[in-house]
Amino acid sequence: MPDTRPLRADAARNRGLLLAAAADEFAEHGLDASVTDIARRAGVGKGTVFRHFPTKDDLIAAILIDRMEALSDLGERLCEAADAGEALREFLTAAAMQRQERDLSFLAEASASLNEVGRARDRMLAAVDALADRAREHGMLRDDVTGADVFLLMCAPNYVAGYVPDASPDLWRRYLQLILDGLRPEGARPLPATAPRLN
Amino acid sequence: MPDTRPLRADAARNRGLLLAAAADEFAEHGLDASVTDIARRAGVGKGTVFRHFPTKDDLIAAILIDRMEALSDLGERLCEAADAGEALREFLTAAAMQRQERDLSFLAEASASLNEVGRARDRMLAAVDALADRAREHGMLRDDVTGADVFLLMCAPNYVAGYVPDASPDLWRRYLQLILDGLRPEGARPLPATAPRLN
DNA sequence: CACTAACCGGACCGGCCGGTCAACTTGGTA
DNA sequence: TACCAAGTTGACCGGCCGGTCCGGTTAGTG
């Protein structure tokens, strides 16, 4: 970070408008919402988009990073919570609420190669790992489930609910609950295949 | 169906090649694999694709219908099986294996409007409903889960596993097992939101 | 107020993609 | 074998999309 002088007032405002507009547009039309539409929604010229984010992928990455950073903060805070099981549920709920859109993949194929995304993801993965470990120690999480499993399953409730045309906006909660029940040690049967490594 | 005279020999063969090539290409590159690539992979000119399938959506629909029909057959057969719980697992396993690619959505937004797709989906949904009912009666499925829930969750294991870069090809089995455990009555907590309607 | 570096906007470019079409080839039949 | 409808092909078209660029605007400073 050699030269980090502050943005001009209008530029900073536009950057914010763009991030918000892009998030909305991606939520509605998936990752292939057009840059032109995003610019229009933000009330800004298309050139401005590319001034702030050299590439569409960079724009996506910026949104991803924002969200993952926020989730990391929350996760680290929740590690202090008394009830480890409830902490995990709260974290997954927040994760699902943050992204009601389908398909804004956390691993973001293309942009996963950008280092910043990777770093943000690793931090979040660490937070999830810690939450999972604590929950497991308190007997709220089955022994054979890893943090990586939880990380991957984070996206599932929204994905599943996303395919119902006129779904209740709370439908994802239903599938989150189902998944949480599957993660508990009670009726656990042994899992096939080994847990994936994510870094 | 006014005029259904049989295809010429070469045309029939090409149609088969195309369906196979398209399935492969979609598996590798998602739904936006290009028609040109599909044609090349099938060893056929692009025009031939559009002779058989007036629209790319029709091609997708044809694949979808094939698969759903096959799953419906299997599902209806499995309704006779002795072990209702095992029948459900077998069905979901077959469903997951049939589509290792991510993102070939069963409800296929665009083409969902085509009547044939809707009909095939309804038939499959009926089969899943029957399987779920039997499993529930045998105490292998929690009371508050509907066939529609199971239908939607069918896609989840592949989706989740699809985000792991160099995953074992069996990774989806892991998440299928987790979901199945969540579907069992043992540790069930009440589900929020009402089950979705799909037709 | 005057000056300038930062910023903005939108016409423009090349490339790709779904879809068309007219010239050509070929499977089936009498 | 001779014929033609069915089938095939790839050049071509219009439209869209990510990304560029330069003339005009504006925020901040002294």
Coordinates of all heavy atoms in Angstrom, one line a residue, chain B residues 88-180:
Chain B
L88 N -35.5 -44.0 0.1 CA -35.3 -42.5 0.0 C -33.8 -42.2 -0.2 O -33.4 -41.4 -1.1 CB -35.8 -41.8 1.3 CG -35.8 -40.3 1.2 CD1 -36.6 -39.8 0.0 CD2 -36.3 -39.7 2.5
R89 N -32.9 -42.9 0.6 CA -31.5 -42.6 0.4 C -31.0 -43.0 -0.9 O -30.3 -42.3 -1.6 CB -30.7 -43.4 1.5 CG -29.3 -43.8 1.0 CD -28.6 -44.7 2.0 NE -27.6 -43.9 2.7 CZ -27.7 -43.5 3.9 NH1 -28.7 -43.9 4.6 NH2 -26.7 -42.8 4.4
E90 N -31.5 -44.1 -1.4 CA -31.1 -44.6 -2.7 C -31.5 -43.6 -3.8 O -30.8 -43.3 -4.7 CB -31.7 -46.0 -3.1 CG -30.8 -47.0 -3.4 CD -31.5 -48.4 -3.6 OE1 -31.8 -48.6 -4.8 OE2 -31.7 -49.1 -2.6
F91 N -32.7 -43.1 -3.7 CA -33.2 -42.1 -4.6 C -32.3 -40.9 -4.6 O -31.9 -40.4 -5.7 CB -34.7 -41.7 -4.3 CG -35.2 -40.7 -5.2 CD1 -35.7 -41.1 -6.5 CD2 -35.2 -39.4 -4.9 CE1 -36.2 -40.2 -7.4 CE2 -35.7 -38.4 -5.8 CZ -36.2 -38.8 -7.0
L92 N -32.1 -40.3 -3.5 CA -31.3 -39.1 -3.4 C -29.9 -39.3 -3.9 O -29.3 -38.5 -4.5 CB -31.3 -38.6 -2.0 CG -32.6 -38.0 -1.5 CD1 -32.6 -37.6 0.0 CD2 -33.1 -36.9 -2.4
T93 N -29.3 -40.5 -3.6 CA -28.0 -40.9 -4.2 C -28.0 -40.9 -5.7 O -27.1 -40.2 -6.3 CB -27.6 -42.2 -3.6 OG1 -27.5 -42.2 -2.2 CG2 -26.2 -42.6 -4.1
A94 N -29.0 -41.5 -6.2 CA -29.1 -41.5 -7.7 C -29.2 -40.1 -8.3 O -28.6 -39.8 -9.3 CB -30.3 -42.4 -8.1
A95 N -30.0 -39.3 -7.6 CA -30.2 -38.0 -8.1 C -28.9 -37.2 -8.1 O -28.6 -36.5 -9.0 CB -31.2 -37.2 -7.2
A96 N -28.1 -37.4 -7.0 CA -26.9 -36.6 -6.9 C -25.9 -37.1 -7.9 O -25.1 -36.4 -8.5 CB -26.3 -36.8 -5.5
M97 N -25.8 -38.4 -8.2 CA -24.9 -39.0 -9.1 C -25.2 -38.5 -10.5 O -24.3 -38.4 -11.3 CB -24.9 -40.5 -9.1 CG -24.4 -41.1 -7.7 SD -24.0 -42.8 -7.9 CE -22.7 -42.7 -9.1
Q98 N -26.4 -38.4 -10.8 CA -26.8 -38.1 -12.2 C -26.3 -36.7 -12.6 O -26.2 -36.4 -13.7 CB -28.4 -38.1 -12.2 CG -28.9 -38.4 -13.6 CD -30.4 -38.3 -13.5 OE1 -31.0 -37.3 -13.1 NE2 -31.0 -39.4 -14.0
R99 N -26.1 -35.9 -11.6 CA -25.7 -34.5 -12.0 C -24.6 -34.0 -11.1 O -24.8 -33.3 -10.2 CB -26.9 -33.6 -11.8 CG -27.7 -33.8 -10.6 CD -29.0 -33.0 -10.7 NE -28.8 -31.6 -10.9 CZ -28.4 -30.8 -9.9 NH1 -28.2 -31.3 -8.7 NH2 -28.2 -29.6 -10.1
Q100 N -23.4 -34.5 -11.5 CA -22.2 -34.1 -10.7 C -21.9 -32.6 -11.0 O -21.2 -32.0 -10.2 CB -21.1 -35.0 -11.0 CG -21.2 -36.3 -10.3 CD -20.3 -37.4 -10.9 OE1 -19.9 -37.2 -12.0 NE2 -20.1 -38.4 -10.2
E101 N -22.4 -32.1 -12.1 CA -22.1 -30.7 -12.4 C -22.9 -29.9 -11.4 O -23.9 -30.3 -10.8 CB -22.6 -30.4 -13.8 CG -24.1 -30.3 -14.0 CD -24.7 -31.7 -14.1 OE1 -24.0 -32.7 -13.7 OE2 -25.9 -31.7 -14.4
R102 N -22.4 -28.7 -11.2 CA -23.2 -27.8 -10.3 C -24.1 -27.0 -11.3 O -23.8 -26.8 -12.4 CB -22.3 -26.9 -9.5 CG -21.3 -26.1 -10.3 CD -20.5 -25.3 -9.4 NE -19.5 -24.4 -10.0 CZ -18.3 -24.7 -10.3 NH1 -17.9 -25.9 -10.1 NH2 -17.5 -23.9 -10.8
D103 N -25.2 -26.5 -10.7 CA -25.9 -25.4 -11.4 C -26.9 -25.8 -12.5 O -27.5 -24.9 -13.1 CB -24.9 -24.4 -11.9 CG -25.6 -23.1 -12.0 OD1 -26.6 -22.9 -11.4 OD2 -25.0 -22.2 -12.6
L104 N -27.1 -27.1 -12.8 CA -28.1 -27.4 -13.8 C -29.4 -27.5 -13.0 O -29.9 -28.5 -12.7 CB -27.8 -28.7 -14.4 CG -28.0 -28.8 -15.9 CD1 -27.7 -30.2 -16.4 CD2 -29.3 -28.3 -16.3
S105 N -29.9 -26.3 -12.7 CA -31.1 -26.2 -11.8 C -32.3 -27.0 -12.3 O -32.7 -26.8 -13.4 CB -31.4 -24.8 -11.6 OG -32.0 -24.3 -12.8
F106 N -32.9 -27.7 -11.4 CA -34.1 -28.5 -11.8 C -35.2 -27.6 -12.1 O -36.0 -27.9 -13.0 CB -34.5 -29.4 -10.6 CG -33.7 -30.7 -10.6 CD1 -32.5 -30.7 -10.1 CD2 -34.3 -31.8 -11.2 CE1 -31.8 -31.9 -10.1 CE2 -33.6 -33.0 -11.3 CZ -32.3 -33.0 -10.7
L107 N -35.3 -26.5 -11.4 CA -36.4 -25.6 -11.8 C -36.1 -24.7 -12.9 O -37.0 -24.0 -13.5 CB -36.8 -24.8 -10.5 CG -37.2 -25.8 -9.4 CD1 -37.6 -25.0 -8.1 CD2 -38.3 -26.7 -9.8
A108 N -34.8 -24.7 -13.3 CA -34.4 -24.1 -14.5 C -35.2 -22.8 -14.9 O -35.8 -22.8 -15.9 CB -34.5 -25.1 -15.6
E109 N -35.0 -21.8 -14.1 CA -35.7 -20.6 -14.2 C -36.3 -20.4 -15.6 O -37.5 -20.6 -15.8 CB -34.8 -19.4 -14.0 CG -34.1 -19.4 -12.7 CD -32.7 -19.9 -12.8 OE1 -32.0 -19.5 -13.7 OE2 -32.3 -20.7 -11.9
A110 N -35.5 -20.1 -16.6 CA -36.0 -19.7 -17.9 C -37.0 -20.8 -18.4 O -38.1 -20.5 -18.7 CB -34.8 -19.6 -18.8
S111 N -36.5 -22.0 -18.5 CA -37.2 -23.0 -19.2 C -38.3 -23.6 -18.4 O -39.1 -24.5 -18.8 CB -36.3 -24.1 -19.7 OG -35.3 -24.4 -18.8
A112 N -38.4 -23.2 -17.1 CA -39.5 -23.7 -16.3 C -40.9 -23.4 -16.9 O -41.8 -24.2 -16.6 CB -39.4 -23.1 -14.9
S113 N -40.9 -22.4 -17.7 CA -42.2 -22.1 -18.3 C -42.6 -23.0 -19.4 O -43.8 -23.2 -19.6 CB -42.1 -20.6 -18.9 OG -41.0 -20.5 -19.6
L114 N -41.7 -23.7 -20.0 CA -42.0 -24.7 -21.0 C -42.8 -25.8 -20.4 O -42.4 -26.4 -19.4 CB -40.8 -25.3 -21.7 CG -40.0 -24.3 -22.6 CD1 -38.6 -24.2 -22.2 CD2 -40.1 -24.7 -24.0
N115 N -44.0 -26.1 -20.9 CA -44.9 -27.0 -20.3 C -44.3 -28.4 -20.0 O -44.5 -29.0 -19.0 CB -46.2 -27.2 -21.1 CG -46.8 -25.8 -21.4 OD1 -46.5 -24.8 -20.8 ND2 -47.8 -25.8 -22.2
E116 N -43.5 -28.9 -21.0 CA -43.0 -30.2 -20.8 C -42.1 -30.3 -19.6 O -42.2 -31.3 -18.9 CB -42.2 -30.6 -22.1 CG -43.0 -31.1 -23.2 CD -42.1 -31.5 -24.4 OE1 -41.6 -30.6 -25.0 OE2 -41.9 -32.7 -24.6
V117 N -41.3 -29.3 -19.4 CA -40.5 -29.3 -18.2 C -41.4 -29.3 -16.9 O -41.1 -30.1 -16.0 CB -39.5 -28.1 -18.1 CG1 -38.8 -28.1 -16.8 CG2 -38.6 -28.1 -19.3
G118 N -42.4 -28.5 -16.9 CA -43.3 -28.5 -15.8 C -43.9 -29.8 -15.5 O -44.0 -30.3 -14.4
R119 N -44.3 -30.5 -16.6 CA -45.0 -31.8 -16.4 C -44.0 -32.8 -15.8 O -44.3 -33.5 -14.9 CB -45.5 -32.3 -17.8 CG -47.0 -32.2 -17.8 CD -47.6 -32.7 -19.1 NE -47.4 -31.8 -20.2 CZ -46.9 -32.1 -21.4 NH1 -46.3 -33.3 -21.6 NH2 -46.8 -31.2 -22.3
A120 N -42.8 -32.8 -16.4 CA -41.8 -33.8 -15.9 C -41.5 -33.5 -14.4 O -41.3 -34.4 -13.6 CB -40.5 -33.7 -16.7
R121 N -41.4 -32.2 -14.1 CA -41.1 -31.9 -12.7 C -42.2 -32.3 -11.8 O -42.0 -32.8 -10.7 CB -40.9 -30.3 -12.6 CG -40.2 -29.9 -11.3 CD -40.7 -28.5 -11.0 NE -42.1 -28.4 -11.0 CZ -42.7 -27.3 -10.9 NH1 -42.1 -26.2 -10.7 NH2 -44.1 -27.2 -10.9
D122 N -43.4 -32.1 -12.3 CA -44.6 -32.5 -11.4 C -44.6 -34.0 -11.2 O -44.9 -34.5 -10.1 CB -45.9 -32.0 -12.1 CG -46.0 -30.5 -12.0 OD1 -45.3 -29.9 -11.3 OD2 -46.9 -30.0 -12.8
R123 N -44.2 -34.7 -12.2 CA -44.2 -36.2 -12.1 C -43.2 -36.6 -11.0 O -43.4 -37.4 -10.1 CB -43.9 -36.9 -13.4 CG -44.1 -38.4 -13.3 CD -43.7 -39.1 -14.6 NE -43.3 -40.5 -14.3 CZ -42.4 -41.2 -14.9 NH1 -41.8 -40.6 -16.0 NH2 -42.1 -42.4 -14.6
M124 N -42.0 -36.0 -11.2 CA -40.9 -36.3 -10.2 C -41.3 -35.9 -8.8 O -41.1 -36.6 -7.9 CB -39.6 -35.6 -10.7 CG -38.5 -36.1 -9.9 SD -36.9 -35.6 -10.6 CE -36.5 -34.2 -9.5
L125 N -41.9 -34.7 -8.7 CA -42.3 -34.2 -7.4 C -43.3 -35.2 -6.8 O -43.2 -35.5 -5.6 CB -42.9 -32.8 -7.6 CG -43.3 -32.1 -6.3 CD1 -42.2 -32.1 -5.3 CD2 -43.8 -30.7 -6.6
A126 N -44.2 -35.7 -7.6 CA -45.1 -36.7 -7.1 C -44.4 -37.9 -6.5 O -44.7 -38.5 -5.5 CB -46.1 -37.1 -8.1
A127 N -43.4 -38.4 -7.3 CA -42.6 -39.6 -6.9 C -41.9 -39.3 -5.5 O -42.0 -40.1 -4.6 CB -41.6 -40.0 -7.9
V128 N -41.3 -38.1 -5.4 CA -40.6 -37.8 -4.2 C -41.6 -37.7 -3.1 O -41.3 -38.2 -1.9 CB -39.9 -36.4 -4.4 CG1 -39.3 -36.0 -3.1 CG2 -38.8 -36.5 -5.4
D129 N -42.8 -37.1 -3.3 CA -43.8 -37.0 -2.3 C -44.1 -38.4 -1.8 O -44.2 -38.6 -0.5 CB -45.1 -36.4 -2.9 CG -45.1 -34.9 -2.6 OD1 -44.7 -34.5 -1.5 OD2 -45.7 -34.1 -3.4
A130 N -44.3 -39.3 -2.7 CA -44.7 -40.7 -2.3 C -43.6 -41.3 -1.4 O -43.8 -41.9 -0.4 CB -45.0 -41.5 -3.5
L131 N -42.3 -41.2 -1.9 CA -41.2 -41.7 -1.2 C -41.1 -41.1 0.2 O -40.9 -41.8 1.2 CB -39.9 -41.4 -1.9 CG -39.6 -42.4 -3.1 CD1 -38.4 -41.8 -3.8 CD2 -39.3 -43.8 -2.6
A132 N -41.3 -39.8 0.3 CA -41.3 -39.1 1.6 C -42.4 -39.6 2.5 O -42.1 -39.9 3.7 CB -41.3 -37.6 1.4
D133 N -43.6 -39.7 2.0 CA -44.7 -40.2 2.8 C -44.4 -41.6 3.4 O -44.6 -41.8 4.6 CB -46.0 -40.3 2.0 CG -46.5 -38.9 1.7 OD1 -46.1 -37.9 2.3 OD2 -47.4 -38.7 0.8
R134 N -43.9 -42.5 2.5 CA -43.6 -43.8 3.0 C -42.6 -43.8 4.1 O -42.7 -44.4 5.2 CB -43.2 -44.7 1.9 CG -44.4 -45.2 1.1 CD -44.0 -46.4 0.3 NE -43.7 -47.6 1.1 CZ -42.7 -48.4 0.9 NH1 -41.8 -48.2 0.0 NH2 -42.6 -49.5 1.7
A135 N -41.5 -43.0 3.8 CA -40.4 -42.9 4.8 C -40.9 -42.4 6.1 O -40.6 -42.8 7.2 CB -39.3 -42.1 4.3
R136 N -41.8 -41.4 6.0 CA -42.3 -40.8 7.2 C -43.2 -41.8 8.0 O -43.0 -41.9 9.3 CB -43.2 -39.6 6.9 CG -43.4 -38.6 8.1 CD -44.2 -37.4 7.7 NE -43.7 -36.7 6.5 CZ -44.3 -36.6 5.4 NH1 -45.4 -37.3 5.2 NH2 -43.8 -35.9 4.4
E137 N -44.0 -42.5 7.3 CA -44.8 -43.6 8.0 C -44.0 -44.6 8.7 O -44.3 -45.1 9.8 CB -45.7 -44.3 7.0 CG -46.9 -43.5 6.6 CD -47.5 -44.0 5.3 OE1 -47.3 -45.2 5.0 OE2 -48.2 -43.2 4.6
H138 N -42.8 -44.9 8.1 CA -41.9 -45.9 8.8 C -41.0 -45.2 9.8 O -40.1 -45.9 10.3 CB -41.1 -46.6 7.7 CG -41.9 -47.5 6.9 ND1 -42.9 -47.2 6.1 CD2 -41.8 -48.9 6.8 CE1 -43.4 -48.2 5.5 NE2 -42.8 -49.3 5.9
G139 N -41.3 -44.0 10.1 CA -40.4 -43.3 11.2 C -39.0 -43.0 10.7 O -38.1 -42.8 11.6
M140 N -38.8 -42.9 9.4 CA -37.5 -42.6 9.0 C -37.3 -41.2 8.5 O -36.3 -40.8 8.1 CB -37.1 -43.5 7.8 CG -37.4 -45.0 8.0 SD -36.4 -45.6 9.4 CE -34.8 -45.7 8.7
L141 N -38.4 -40.4 8.6 CA -38.4 -39.0 8.2 C -39.2 -38.2 9.2 O -40.3 -38.6 9.6 CB -39.0 -38.9 6.8 CG -38.9 -37.6 6.1 CD1 -37.5 -37.3 5.7 CD2 -39.8 -37.6 4.8
R142 N -38.6 -37.1 9.6 CA -39.3 -36.3 10.6 C -40.7 -35.8 10.0 O -40.9 -35.7 8.8 CB -38.5 -35.1 11.0 CG -37.9 -34.3 9.8 CD -36.7 -33.4 10.3 NE -37.2 -32.3 11.1 CZ -36.4 -31.5 11.7 NH1 -35.1 -31.6 11.6 NH2 -36.9 -30.5 12.4
D143 N -41.6 -35.5 11.0 CA -43.0 -35.3 10.6 C -43.2 -33.9 9.9 O -44.1 -33.8 9.1 CB -43.9 -35.2 11.9 CG -44.1 -36.6 12.4 OD1 -44.1 -37.6 11.6 OD2 -44.2 -36.8 13.6
D144 N -42.3 -33.0 10.2 CA -42.5 -31.6 9.7 C -41.8 -31.4 8.3 O -41.8 -30.2 7.9 CB -42.1 -30.6 10.7 CG -40.7 -30.9 11.3 OD1 -40.1 -31.8 10.8 OD2 -40.3 -30.1 12.2
V145 N -41.3 -32.4 7.7 CA -40.7 -32.3 6.4 C -41.6 -32.8 5.3 O -42.1 -33.9 5.4 CB -39.3 -33.0 6.4 CG1 -38.9 -33.3 5.0 CG2 -38.3 -32.2 7.1
T146 N -41.7 -32.0 4.3 CA -42.6 -32.4 3.2 C -41.8 -32.9 2.0 O -40.5 -32.8 2.0 CB -43.4 -31.2 2.7 OG1 -42.5 -30.3 2.0 CG2 -44.1 -30.5 3.8
G147 N -42.5 -33.5 1.0 CA -41.8 -33.9 -0.2 C -41.1 -32.7 -0.9 O -40.1 -32.9 -1.5
A148 N -41.8 -31.6 -0.9 CA -41.2 -30.4 -1.5 C -39.8 -30.1 -0.9 O -38.9 -29.7 -1.6 CB -42.1 -29.2 -1.4
D149 N -39.7 -30.2 0.4 CA -38.5 -30.0 1.1 C -37.4 -30.9 0.6 O -36.3 -30.5 0.2 CB -38.6 -30.2 2.6 CG -39.4 -29.1 3.3 OD1 -39.3 -27.9 2.9 OD2 -40.2 -29.4 4.2
V150 N -37.8 -32.2 0.5 CA -36.8 -33.2 0.0 C -36.4 -32.9 -1.4 O -35.2 -32.9 -1.8 CB -37.4 -34.6 0.1 CG1 -36.5 -35.6 -0.5 CG2 -37.7 -34.9 1.6
F151 N -37.4 -32.6 -2.2 CA -37.1 -32.2 -3.6 C -36.1 -31.1 -3.7 O -35.1 -31.2 -4.5 CB -38.5 -31.7 -4.2 CG -38.4 -31.4 -5.7 CD1 -38.6 -32.3 -6.7 CD2 -38.1 -30.1 -6.0 CE1 -38.6 -31.9 -8.0 CE2 -38.0 -29.7 -7.4 CZ -38.2 -30.6 -8.4
L152 N -36.3 -30.1 -2.9 CA -35.4 -28.9 -3.0 C -34.0 -29.3 -2.5 O -33.0 -28.9 -3.0 CB -35.9 -27.8 -2.1 CG -37.1 -27.0 -2.8 CD1 -37.7 -26.1 -1.8 CD2 -36.7 -26.3 -4.0
L153 N -33.9 -30.1 -1.5 CA -32.6 -30.5 -0.9 C -31.9 -31.5 -1.8 O -30.6 -31.6 -1.6 CB -32.9 -31.1 0.5 CG -33.3 -30.1 1.6 CD1 -33.8 -30.8 2.8 CD2 -32.1 -29.2 1.9
M154 N -32.5 -32.1 -2.7 CA -31.9 -33.0 -3.6 C -30.6 -32.3 -4.2 O -29.6 -33.0 -4.5 CB -32.8 -33.3 -4.8 CG -33.7 -34.5 -4.6 SD -34.8 -34.7 -6.0 CE -33.5 -34.8 -7.3
C155 N -30.7 -31.1 -4.6 CA -29.6 -30.4 -5.3 C -28.5 -30.0 -4.4 O -27.4 -29.8 -4.9 CB -30.1 -29.2 -6.0 SG -31.8 -29.3 -6.6
A156 N -28.7 -29.9 -3.1 CA -27.8 -29.3 -2.2 C -26.4 -30.0 -2.1 O -25.4 -29.3 -2.2 CB -28.4 -29.1 -0.8
P157 N -26.4 -31.3 -2.0 CA -25.0 -32.0 -1.8 C -24.1 -31.6 -3.0 O -22.9 -31.3 -2.7 CB -25.4 -33.5 -1.8 CG -26.8 -33.5 -1.3 CD -27.4 -32.3 -1.9
N158 N -24.5 -31.7 -4.2 CA -23.7 -31.3 -5.3 C -23.3 -29.9 -5.3 O -22.1 -29.5 -5.6 CB -24.4 -31.6 -6.6 CG -24.2 -33.1 -7.0 OD1 -23.1 -33.5 -7.2 ND2 -25.3 -33.8 -7.1
Y159 N -24.2 -29.1 -4.9 CA -23.9 -27.6 -4.9 C -22.8 -27.3 -3.9 O -21.8 -26.7 -4.2 CB -25.2 -26.9 -4.5 CG -25.0 -25.4 -4.2 CD1 -24.7 -24.5 -5.2 CD2 -24.9 -25.0 -2.9 CE1 -24.5 -23.2 -4.9 CE2 -24.7 -23.6 -2.6 CZ -24.4 -22.8 -3.6 OH -24.2 -21.5 -3.3
V160 N -23.0 -27.9 -2.7 CA -22.0 -27.6 -1.7 C -20.6 -28.2 -2.0 O -19.6 -27.5 -2.0 CB -22.5 -28.3 -0.3 CG1 -21.4 -28.2 0.7 CG2 -23.7 -27.6 0.2
A161 N -20.6 -29.4 -2.5 CA -19.3 -30.0 -2.9 C -18.7 -29.3 -4.1 O -17.5 -29.3 -4.2 CB -19.5 -31.5 -3.1
G162 N -19.5 -28.7 -4.9 CA -19.0 -28.1 -6.1 C -18.1 -26.9 -5.9 O -17.4 -26.5 -6.8
Y163 N -18.1 -26.4 -4.7 CA -17.2 -25.2 -4.4 C -15.9 -25.6 -3.9 O -15.1 -24.7 -3.5 CB -17.9 -24.2 -3.5 CG -18.9 -23.4 -4.3 CD1 -20.3 -23.4 -4.0 CD2 -18.5 -22.6 -5.3 CE1 -21.1 -22.6 -4.8 CE2 -19.3 -21.9 -6.1 CZ -20.7 -21.9 -5.8 OH -21.5 -21.2 -6.6
V164 N -15.6 -26.8 -3.8 CA -14.3 -27.3 -3.4 C -13.5 -27.5 -4.6 O -13.8 -28.4 -5.4 CB -14.3 -28.5 -2.5 CG1 -13.0 -28.9 -2.0 CG2 -15.2 -28.3 -1.3
P165 N -12.4 -26.8 -4.8 CA -11.6 -26.9 -6.0 C -11.2 -28.3 -6.5 O -11.6 -28.8 -7.5 CB -10.4 -26.0 -5.7 CG -10.8 -25.1 -4.7 CD -11.8 -25.8 -3.8
D166 N -10.4 -29.0 -5.7 CA -9.9 -30.3 -6.1 C -10.5 -31.4 -5.2 O -9.8 -32.2 -4.7 CB -8.4 -30.4 -6.1 CG -7.8 -29.2 -6.9 OD1 -8.1 -29.2 -8.1 OD2 -7.0 -28.4 -6.3
A167 N -11.9 -31.3 -5.1 CA -12.5 -32.2 -4.2 C -12.5 -33.6 -4.7 O -12.4 -33.9 -5.9 CB -14.0 -31.8 -4.1
S168 N -12.5 -34.6 -3.7 CA -12.8 -36.0 -4.1 C -14.1 -36.0 -4.8 O -15.0 -35.3 -4.4 CB -12.8 -36.8 -2.8 OG -13.9 -37.7 -2.9
P169 N -14.2 -36.9 -5.8 CA -15.5 -37.0 -6.5 C -16.6 -37.5 -5.7 O -17.7 -37.6 -6.1 CB -15.1 -37.9 -7.7 CG -13.9 -38.6 -7.3 CD -13.2 -37.7 -6.4
D170 N -16.3 -38.0 -4.5 CA -17.3 -38.6 -3.6 C -17.7 -37.6 -2.5 O -18.5 -37.9 -1.6 CB -16.8 -39.8 -2.9 CG -17.0 -41.0 -3.8 OD1 -17.8 -40.9 -4.8 OD2 -16.5 -42.1 -3.5
L171 N -17.2 -36.4 -2.6 CA -17.4 -35.5 -1.5 C -18.9 -35.2 -1.2 O -19.4 -35.1 -0.1 CB -16.7 -34.1 -1.7 CG -16.8 -33.1 -0.6 CD1 -16.2 -33.7 0.7 CD2 -16.0 -31.8 -1.0
W172 N -19.7 -35.2 -2.3 CA -21.1 -34.9 -2.2 C -21.8 -35.9 -1.2 O -22.7 -35.6 -0.6 CB -21.8 -34.9 -3.5 CG -21.6 -36.2 -4.3 CD1 -20.6 -36.5 -5.2 CD2 -22.5 -37.3 -4.2 NE1 -20.8 -37.8 -5.7 CE2 -21.9 -38.3 -5.1 CE3 -23.6 -37.7 -3.5 CZ2 -22.5 -39.6 -5.3 CZ3 -24.2 -38.9 -3.7 CH2 -23.6 -39.9 -4.6
R173 N -21.2 -37.2 -1.2 CA -21.8 -38.2 -0.3 C -21.8 -37.7 1.1 O -22.7 -38.1 1.9 CB -21.1 -39.5 -0.4 CG -21.2 -40.2 -1.8 CD -20.5 -41.5 -1.8 NE -20.5 -42.1 -3.1 CZ -21.5 -42.8 -3.6 NH1 -22.5 -43.1 -2.9 NH2 -21.4 -43.3 -4.8
R174 N -20.8 -37.0 1.5 CA -20.6 -36.5 2.8 C -21.8 -35.6 3.2 O -22.4 -35.7 4.2 CB -19.3 -35.7 2.9 CG -18.8 -35.4 4.3 CD -17.4 -34.8 4.2 NE -17.1 -34.2 5.5 CZ -16.6 -34.9 6.5 NH1 -16.4 -36.2 6.3 NH2 -16.3 -34.4 7.6
Y175 N -22.1 -34.7 2.3 CA -23.1 -33.7 2.6 C -24.5 -34.3 2.4 O -25.5 -33.9 3.1 CB -22.9 -32.4 1.7 CG -21.6 -31.9 2.1 CD1 -20.5 -31.9 1.2 CD2 -21.3 -31.4 3.4 CE1 -19.3 -31.5 1.5 CE2 -20.1 -31.0 3.7 CZ -19.1 -31.0 2.8 OH -17.8 -30.6 3.2
L176 N -24.7 -35.3 1.5 CA -25.9 -36.0 1.5 C -26.2 -36.7 2.8 O -27.3 -36.6 3.3 CB -25.9 -37.0 0.3 CG -27.1 -37.9 0.2 CD1 -28.4 -37.1 0.1 CD2 -26.9 -38.9 -0.9
Q177 N -25.2 -37.3 3.4 CA -25.3 -38.0 4.7 C -25.7 -37.0 5.7 O -26.7 -37.2 6.5 CB -24.0 -38.7 5.1 CG -24.1 -39.4 6.4 CD -25.1 -40.5 6.3 OE1 -25.1 -41.3 5.4 NE2 -26.0 -40.6 7.3
L178 N -25.1 -35.8 5.7 CA -25.4 -34.8 6.7 C -26.9 -34.4 6.6 O -27.6 -34.2 7.6 CB -24.5 -33.6 6.6 CG -23.2 -33.6 7.4 CD1 -22.3 -32.5 7.0 CD2 -23.6 -33.5 8.9
I179 N -27.3 -34.2 5.4 CA -28.7 -33.8 5.2 C -29.7 -34.9 5.6 O -30.7 -34.6 6.2 CB -28.9 -33.3 3.7 CG1 -28.1 -32.0 3.5 CG2 -30.3 -33.2 3.3 CD1 -28.1 -31.6 2.0
L180 N -29.3 -36.1 5.2 CA -30.2 -37.2 5.6 C -30.3 -37.3 7.1 O -31.4 -37.5 7.6 CB -29.6 -38.5 5.1 CG -29.9 -38.8 3.6 CD1 -29.1 -39.9 3.1 CD2 -31.4 -39.0 3.3

